[in-house]
Amino acid sequence: CCCDHLHEMGLSHCDVKLLNWVRLSDGTWRSTDFDAARHIGEELDDTKELSTAFTPPETFIILENKVTARVRKTDQETPYEPLVVAPPFDIWSNTVCFYSFVAHKPLFPSDDRDNVSSKPEFIKLAKWGPRPLAEVLADAKAAMHADGAGIVTQIIVENLLGWALQPDPANRPQSCKEVVAHPCFAQCDEGVEEEKADEIETKEP
């Protein structure tokens, strides 16, 4: 996992999104665009490199009916604690990418720079909680049902999405290893092994 490798180096990507994943000719994936990367444990000091449609809700706070980023400001006091970057930041963003594949739509509508495209949706992100989470899980489940996914698969995928899209980062997976250990990806591994077995049988004389 690219993000896991980054996290082990003490870094967080902070701008994981669909456009920043590249599939190479050998089938492996690479993460790109590290302009927003921060050291884990570092306070967020700028948001201009972030793509808000993929950014977790703890990045923002509502002040005077405006969405405000929790950035550190050295020239003035702020009515909030600056966000400290940690692995759950990237885990949220990766899950937003995964959600778009499952539900066949983005978690938040965005503009051509992958920023949330409307104020109501931006406020929804900043106020993310149980109700909007339940709504997006229902959408994902409906999409899986329409795709013909079995009930067990629906439950497993819904469980992963519900875990990784928790409002409180402390309630999300704390590492990519935890995510990959989820039964959702165990199923993927089994599927890959079955495909390899089928290929071998096909090649046999």
Side-chain angles (χ1 to χ4, degrees):
C1 175
C2 299
C3 282
D4 190 43
H5 181 62
L6 270 180
H7 296 164
E8 288 178 349
M9 295 172 61
L11 297 170
S12 179
H13 189 288
C14 293
D15 195 26
V16 173
K17 59 181 180 178
L18 295 171
L19 287 178
N20 286 345
W21 287 108
V22 177
R23 190 176 188 184
L24 304 182
S25 57
D26 63 359
T28 59
W29 290 85
R30 292 290 183 271
S31 180
T32 63
D33 190 0
F34 296 90
D35 292 346
R38 298 287 189 279
H39 289 282
I40 292 173
E42 181 182 354
E43 291 180 346
L44 192 67
D45 59 352
D46 193 4
T47 59
K48 65 182 180 181
E49 300 294 344
L50 304 184
S51 304
T52 58
F54 293 85
T55 303
E58 64 269 19
T59 312
F60 308 103
I61 189 171
I62 304 292
L63 293 176
E64 298 178 355
N65 202 34
K66 288 184 179 180
V67 179
T68 302
R70 291 174 53 202
V71 297
R72 170 173 50 81
K73 296 183 178 180
T74 57
D75 59 341
Q76 63 187 72
E77 292 186 6
T78 57
Y80 55 79
E81 289 293 323
L83 177 68
V84 176
V85 175
F89 190 112
D90 287 340
I91 288 168
W92 168 282
S93 304
N94 270 303
T95 308
V96 173
C97 296
F98 181 55
Y99 175 84
S100 70
F101 290 118
V102 173
H104 306 303
K105 66 177 184 178
L107 188 66
F108 291 97
S110 61
D111 59 22
D112 58 0
R113 299 191 60 169
D114 289 321
N115 289 314
V116 178
S117 57
S118 71
K119 182 177 179 180
E121 290 293 326
F122 205 7
I123 291 175
K124 179 181 176 181
L125 169 60
K127 291 184 174 182
W128 188 257
R131 182 172 178 177
L133 176 57
E135 291 172 352
V136 301
L137 291 180
D139 288 345
K141 188 174 182 179
M144 287 188 284
H145 178 74
D147 288 341
I151 186 64
V152 173
T153 297
Q154 292 179 39
I155 292 171
I156 290 173
V157 173
E158 185 180 6
N159 177 267
L160 175 61
L161 291 172
W163 183 25
L165 294 176
Q166 283 293 310
D168 185 347
N171 293 332
R172 290 180 216 141
Q174 298 300 297
S175 71
C176 291
K177 287 184 175 64
E178 287 185 44
V179 177
V180 174
H182 190 275
C184 178
F185 295 104
Q187 278 196 334
C188 291
D189 290 339
E190 290 172 5
V192 170
E193 292 303 318
E194 288 176 2
E195 287 181 8
K196 289 181 178 177
D198 289 342
E199 289 178 6
I200 292 171
E201 290 178 2
T202 303
K203 292 178 182 178
E204 288 181 353

